[in-house]
Amino acid sequence: MNKKLDKIRIPRKERSVNKHLFTLLSDYNKLVNRKERKFDVLLAIGVSFVVLLITVIFIHSNRDVLALFKVLNDSTIGVMAILAGFNISSLALIGAANLTFLKKINKTDLLKQILIIFAFSVILNLFLIMLGIVVSIVSSQFLQIQISLIVLWHWCVYVLLLSVMFFWVGLIIYSLLIAIRNAGLIYKFILALAEAE
């Protein structure tokens, strides 16, 4: 057996990808301070509430609410795919940087912070894409089923649709706010790299 392969073998306890995922989520939770988290959550809720209010004022049909939700969702999937690509490209850019520079900024914890935030963003974007695909399929089926025309007029379904849309729009805005912060981080990283050259 190859001795080099033996040296890089990962211990059995460390082989789970899920363990690394939970570690990343925990690290992100520790990294983002309460003020940033509060700002992101409150702004996402605020924008989502405005969208909800506009929907309630102008759309009273459950079928129309579902159609609007599907349009928003389908548009969002493309945006999330672009953001995921941006975050993955940023991670690749960071990984391709000068090794001496990486070691230097690693001492200041800047490298770890950037990696945690961008990796979390990739996970969030991909999760929203998967969820968006499911939402798109389900909403398409409901819009096509003729019997749903009767069921969808019920006020309980109206409230349920608005609640789901409120939650979904909030998640999207939250993801976009993180993307804006990521753009600032990659800007800071490139400036630091340019100064080190």
Side-chain angles (χ1 to χ4, degrees):
M1 193 169 286
N2 195 327
K3 291 182 179 179
K4 289 183 180 179
L5 288 176
D6 287 339
K7 289 180 181 179
I8 61 169
R9 284 188 185 277
I10 301 172
R12 187 175 295 275
K13 291 181 180 179
E14 299 291 326
R15 288 181 189 172
S16 172
V17 177
N18 292 333
K19 183 176 181 181
H20 299 302
L21 177 63
F22 291 129
T23 302
L24 172 63
L25 295 176
S26 175
D27 289 344
Y28 179 81
N29 191 47
K30 293 173 186 174
L31 178 65
V32 178
N33 63 46
R34 186 178 295 179
K35 188 176 180 181
E36 288 174 331
R37 189 180 294 112
K38 187 177 179 181
F39 174 81
D40 291 346
V41 170
L42 288 178
L43 186 56
I45 289 173
V47 173
S48 191
F49 181 76
V50 170
V51 172
L52 180 71
L53 191 62
I54 292 170
T55 305
V56 170
I57 292 170
F58 293 103
I59 302 176
H60 305 290
S61 163
N62 289 337
R63 186 175 177 82
D64 290 344
V65 171
L66 186 58
L68 173 65
F69 184 40
K70 186 180 182 309
V71 169
L72 287 173
N73 177 67
D74 292 348
S75 302
T76 299
I77 292 174
V79 173
M80 289 299 112
I82 292 168
L83 288 179
F86 166 74
N87 290 319
I88 291 170
S89 300
S90 298
L91 285 171
L93 173 68
I94 293 164
N98 184 295
L99 187 59
T100 306
F101 170 72
L102 291 177
K103 287 180 179 178
K104 182 180 176 182
I105 67 166
N106 192 37
K107 293 176 182 177
T108 65
D109 283 337
L110 176 61
L111 179 61
K112 186 177 180 181
Q113 291 174 10
I114 291 173
L115 290 176
I116 289 170
I117 291 173
F118 275 94
F120 173 80
S121 296
V122 170
I123 291 168
L124 179 61
N125 295 146
L126 294 178
F127 171 75
L128 290 175
I129 289 170
M130 289 189 296
L131 192 60
I133 290 169
V134 172
V135 167
S136 183
I137 292 169
V138 171
S139 57
S140 293
Q141 293 304 313
F142 272 113
L143 286 170
Q144 289 176 4
I145 297 172
Q146 294 299 321
I147 196 169
S148 68
L149 293 173
I150 300 170
V151 176
L152 289 177
W153 281 102
H154 197 276
W155 69 270
C156 289
V157 179
Y158 183 75
V159 172
L160 178 63
L161 285 171
L162 291 176
S163 300
V164 172
M165 192 165 76
F166 176 79
F167 177 73
W168 182 242
V169 171
L171 272 177
I172 299 307
I173 299 301
Y174 180 75
S175 179
L176 291 174
L177 290 172
I178 293 174
I180 292 169
R181 190 174 293 122
N182 287 355
L185 277 173
I186 201 67
Y187 169 76
K188 184 178 179 181
F189 177 84
I190 293 170
L191 279 183
L193 180 59
E195 289 173 2
E197 292 295 331

